[in-house]
Amino acid sequence: MSILEQLRSRFERALVIAYGETVEDRADVMLVPASNPRFGDYQCNVAMSLTKALKDNPRTIATQIVQHLEISDICEDPEIAGPGFINLKLKPDYLEAQLNSMVGDRRMGIAPTNAPEKVIVDFSSPNIAKEMHVGHLRSTIIGDCIARILEFQGHDVLRLNHVGDWGTQFGMLITYLREAYPDALTTADALDLGDLVNFYRQAKVRFDQDPDFKETARKEVVRLQAGAEDSRRAWQLLCDQSRREFQVIYDLLDVQLTERGESFYNPLLLGVIADLEQTGLLVESDGAQCVFLEGFTNKDGEPLPLIVQKSDGGYNYATTDLAAVRYRINQDQAVKIIYITDAGQANHFTQVWQVAQKAGWIPETVELIHVPFGLVLGEDGKKLKTRSGDTVRLRELLDEAVNRARADLENRLAEEGRSESAEFIEHVAQIVGMSAVKYADLSQNRTSNYSFSFDKMLSLQGNTAPYLLYAYVRIQGISRKGKIDFEQLGTGAKIHLQAEPELILARHLLQFDLIIDEVATELLPNRLCQYLFELSQKFNQFYDQCPVLKAEIPQRISRLGLCDLTAKTLKLGLSLLGISVLERM
């Protein structure tokens, strides 16, 4: 059990002894890490929550709890503060025992869940025949991080890429290419993806302005849906080309995904309509098949419908998403489905899930979760754009990050008079560049917009990836300088905590499991970033104030062990963010 679980269990036992079995039903133990170190390590506020139920003042209740609280093997004597806060401070010998039990454990003392679940994380989701842009960055990075943490916990995670590979845009594009560049419909990679995007834009203009073109494009969609051989071949070529370009981005970001696009659900759409009709939810409105929603109205205050089949017989995103919900619950057997999209899609998911709920498709055991995120802004606070006003291509942004990281490294090497191989420089630039972009995003509260700044994210100071990577590199430098193999320290190398910086670092290391649980529950990766940043700070303070290699044995061995645990925690924590470490910078 984690420290928090052990303490919570002791408090629950004390509550029962003090007030009887029924009090457990009325009380949440409310045990949390202390907000301020002067209050100790943990704080319990349960006495305040029981005031009304027990008809007593909270300080008296806290006193009763403490009298029956058996934690002398874990904590110093509890202190009651203010109106009834119970403050706890972990004993140094308990901290030592916990840290020593983690030595040699790659999971840093965090056991896999004993109740693994099938979880789907739906993220990234670019559109075929379009280039991935900066708007896809957040979904891809946040989704990958959440999937990594749930996988680490032991859950069975299916990472789905719900690409836009079906619908009107293909009728429009194929129709245009038949006139403008027919080779692209019969020959693989006849066009660069950038050229394909330009043709798509031109096709959209024609579609909006030319009624004849619009009608032809719609007929092309029907031919595609009916399986016309030439249309299907053209569609497949366009999808394959886009897919290869997307994979370049995913390889750069070290992101794994299973593609299951909109086309996957196309054969299931008729069944969605039939089932909605059978449940009596379908209503015809202006020739379209709709489901009217609760809590949604138009500007005139009239009930707002969700259209699931258009008047021309076609389907839309809502129909596909309904089919996806059913498939993921019935065939994939997922009990938790997490959608990582921008905040602007919140209403869409609320509407789709309301329909699925009314249709009886979502069992009580299944949880659907929308994880929204804000915009990526430029340093001027406006939506990030190129100088020409276009959306920033993701590939160009990532290449720029690596180029800047390389230039910074070369300048630093020149200032230090260091000579490194081209391979070393390229490797470090790649890791630092990608890490900087990922960390800059993940370290923000995802619900907020954030300003993109290469200078800030590549800085060696502050809450940045390079700062964390440097803390790890610093520990590896200790290993090299002292000719120490951390793996050979052995289980006999015991950690003994004496100096205050050692105790501060130890307490922080032992909160790692709590942070992982928080991120997995609240789906906020910035909590893990903040923990790792503070760990790096606390390590640097420890390193500056406590000699390691110059210390006498056994203190030297103890501090090396503390360095090793810090490095392993940093490495594991960064890997859960999708960030690789470096041995040297």
Side-chain angles (χ1 to χ4, degrees):
M1 294 190 351
S2 69
I3 296 173
L4 201 62
E5 287 170 332
Q6 291 181 61
L7 291 174
R8 189 172 282 126
S9 174
R10 306 289 181 94
F11 268 92
E12 287 169 353
R13 196 181 312 152
L15 276 168
V16 170
I17 296 170
Y19 292 106
E21 296 281 352
T22 57
V23 76
E24 270 199 280
D25 299 329
R26 293 178 283 175
D28 175 0
V29 168
M30 301 173 69
L31 187 68
V32 295
S35 57
N36 190 316
R38 64 191 177 91
F39 299 139
D41 297 312
Y42 293 92
Q43 188 174 71
C44 181
N45 306 333
V46 69
M48 271 74 79
S49 70
L50 287 171
T51 302
K52 191 173 181 180
L54 296 176
K55 297 182 173 60
D56 207 344
N57 75 69
R59 195 169 180 94
T60 302
I61 295 170
T63 302
Q64 283 292 312
I65 294 169
V66 166
Q67 284 177 358
H68 296 93
L69 188 60
E70 296 180 5
I71 53 170
S72 59
D73 57 327
I74 300 177
C75 298
E76 309 285 0
D77 291 339
E79 291 182 358
I80 299 173
F85 301 114
I86 303 171
N87 294 334
L88 307 173
K89 188 170 185 178
L90 298 173
K91 285 184 169 180
D93 58 352
Y94 177 79
L95 290 169
E96 290 170 0
Q98 294 297 304
L99 290 175
N100 286 319
S101 71
M102 289 162 56
V103 173
D105 182 1
R106 295 286 179 187
R107 294 183 60 89
M108 306 313 295
I110 303 175
T113 178
N114 56 13
E117 296 178 327
K118 178 63 178 286
V119 182
I120 287 174
V121 184
D122 176 330
F123 65 103
S124 194
S125 308
N127 289 314
I128 297 294
K130 295 182 182 179
E131 290 175 296
M132 288 180 74
H133 55 76
V134 70
H136 295 111
L137 179 68
R138 301 207 76 182
S139 177
T140 305
I141 291 173
I142 294 168
D144 178 57
C145 175
I146 288 171
R148 284 172 184 263
I149 287 173
L150 293 172
E151 288 161 350
F152 175 74
Q153 287 191 317
H155 297 293
D156 179 9
V157 179
L158 175 56
R159 300 153 155 261
L160 285 184
N161 196 6
H162 188 85
V163 297
D165 67 347
W166 201 246
T168 304
Q169 70 264 34
F170 283 96
M172 187 173 73
L173 182 58
I174 291 171
T175 299
Y176 190 83
L177 288 173
R178 285 196 200 286
E179 299 177 7
Y181 209 98
D183 284 354
L185 304 179
T186 57
T187 308
D189 298 325
L191 288 169
D192 289 335
L193 186 59
D195 294 329
L196 195 59
V197 171
N198 289 330
F199 278 124
Y200 177 87
R201 288 175 182 155
Q202 293 164 24
K204 182 71 169 68
V205 172
R206 281 281 300 278
F207 186 84
D208 292 339
Q209 296 178 355
D210 184 342
D212 291 338
F213 179 87
K214 190 172 192 174
E215 183 60 27
T216 305
R218 282 180 169 160
K219 287 178 181 176
E220 185 61 50
V221 175
V222 174
R223 293 185 77 250
L224 177 61
Q225 292 175 337
E229 189 175 337
D230 58 337
S231 297
R232 294 288 287 201
R233 173 169 170 73
W235 169 78
Q236 192 65 59
L237 286 172
L238 296 173
C239 288
D240 288 346
Q241 182 172 2
S242 292
R243 193 175 289 120
R244 286 191 293 275
E245 294 290 334
F246 296 160
Q247 195 57 49
V248 171
I249 301 287
Y250 295 137
D251 288 345
L252 280 171
L253 292 171
D254 188 25
V255 170
Q256 305 295 321
L257 279 154
T258 297
E259 185 182 309
R260 195 189 285 172
E262 292 171 5
S263 62
F264 178 88
Y265 302 101
N266 192 58
L268 310 177
L269 302 185
L270 273 174
V272 168
I273 302 301
D275 276 17
L276 290 175
E277 188 169 23
Q278 191 172 0
T279 58
L281 291 173
L282 272 192
V283 177
E284 186 174 317
S285 177
D286 295 330
Q289 297 298 320
C290 309
V291 178
F292 280 86
L293 305 163
E294 296 172 10
F296 291 92
T297 55
N298 61 21
K299 59 184 179 181
D300 299 321
E302 299 165 339
L304 191 70
L306 182 71
I307 298 172
V308 292
Q309 189 171 25
K310 294 181 281 190
S311 57
D312 64 0
Y315 305 104
N316 54 24
Y317 294 129
T319 328
T320 302
D321 283 335
L322 284 166
V325 167
R326 295 179 79 201
Y327 191 93
R328 293 168 181 185
I329 293 171
N330 297 331
Q331 271 69 42
D332 293 323
Q333 297 287 296
V335 297
K336 189 177 286 183
I337 309 172
I338 301 170
Y339 296 77
I340 320 285
T341 75
D342 66 89
Q345 294 193 44
N347 275 350
H348 168 76
F349 285 118
T350 302
Q351 292 169 353
V352 167
W353 297 345
Q354 186 185 122
V355 172
Q357 195 80 51
K358 284 185 171 185
W361 297 344
I362 307 175
E364 289 184 6
T365 53
V366 173
E367 188 178 8
L368 305 182
I369 303 167
H370 179 220
V371 174
F373 54 81
L375 299 172
V376 182
L377 306 177
E379 291 187 74
D380 58 1
K382 297 177 182 177
K383 199 169 180 179
L384 191 62
K385 299 273 189 180
T386 63
R387 287 181 181 174
S388 62
D390 294 329
T391 303
V392 177
R393 293 172 61 232
L394 187 49
R395 178 65 188 275
E396 289 178 354
L397 181 139
L398 296 177
D399 288 345
E400 176 78 1
V402 173
N403 290 338
R404 287 184 180 234
R406 186 188 301 109
D408 286 353
L409 175 60
E410 287 172 343
N411 288 338
R412 187 158 49 83
L413 292 175
E415 289 171 4
E416 295 172 2
R418 273 170 63 193
S419 177
E420 297 286 357
S421 68
E423 291 78 13
F424 171 86
I425 291 171
E426 194 54 41
H427 176 66
V428 171
Q430 194 73 30
I431 296 294
V432 171
M434 291 299 102
S435 299
V437 171
K438 286 186 176 185
Y439 191 85
D441 191 307
L442 294 171
S443 61
Q444 308 295 319
N445 186 319
R446 58 169 168 75
T447 59
S448 305
N449 301 336
Y450 83 96
S451 294
F452 191 96
S453 166
F454 281 119
D455 289 340
K456 287 180 182 177
M457 67 177 61
L458 288 167
S459 173
L460 277 168
Q461 302 299 320
N463 190 9
T464 66
Y467 179 79
L468 271 64
L469 291 172
Y470 185 72
Y472 181 86
V473 165
R474 199 173 195 183
I475 297 171
Q476 304 317 304
I478 294 171
S479 168
R480 287 191 295 273
K481 185 176 180 181
K483 295 182 172 56
I484 306 294
D485 182 352
F486 285 127
E487 300 302 323
Q488 297 302 316
L489 286 177
T491 55
K494 297 297 183 185
I495 292 172
H496 296 287
L497 305 171
Q498 295 173 325
E500 187 60 23
E502 293 176 315
L503 289 162
I504 291 170
L505 180 58
R507 291 187 186 106
H508 197 74
L509 283 166
L510 292 175
Q511 289 183 5
F512 187 46
D513 59 345
L514 180 64
I515 294 298
I516 296 300
D517 285 343
E518 276 187 12
V519 176
T521 301
E522 299 174 16
L523 306 177
L524 291 168
N526 63 298
R527 299 278 178 86
L528 176 55
C529 294
Q530 186 63 30
Y531 169 85
L532 295 173
F533 173 52
E534 291 175 8
L535 176 62
S536 301
Q537 287 181 310
K538 287 172 170 56
F539 170 76
N540 285 329
Q541 289 161 4
F542 153 77
Y543 182 77
D544 291 341
Q545 297 174 42
C546 299
V548 177
L549 293 176
K550 291 182 179 179
E552 298 294 327
I553 292 175
Q555 192 177 59
R556 181 169 182 257
I557 301 298
S558 171
R559 288 178 176 173
L560 284 169
L562 207 49
C563 289
D564 187 37
L565 286 180
T566 301
K568 287 185 167 66
T569 302
L570 278 171
K571 184 175 183 177
L572 176 54
L574 287 169
S575 76
L576 296 177
L577 298 174
I579 292 174
S580 301
V581 294
L582 291 162
E583 301 300 308
R584 295 192 303 123
M585 284 175 72

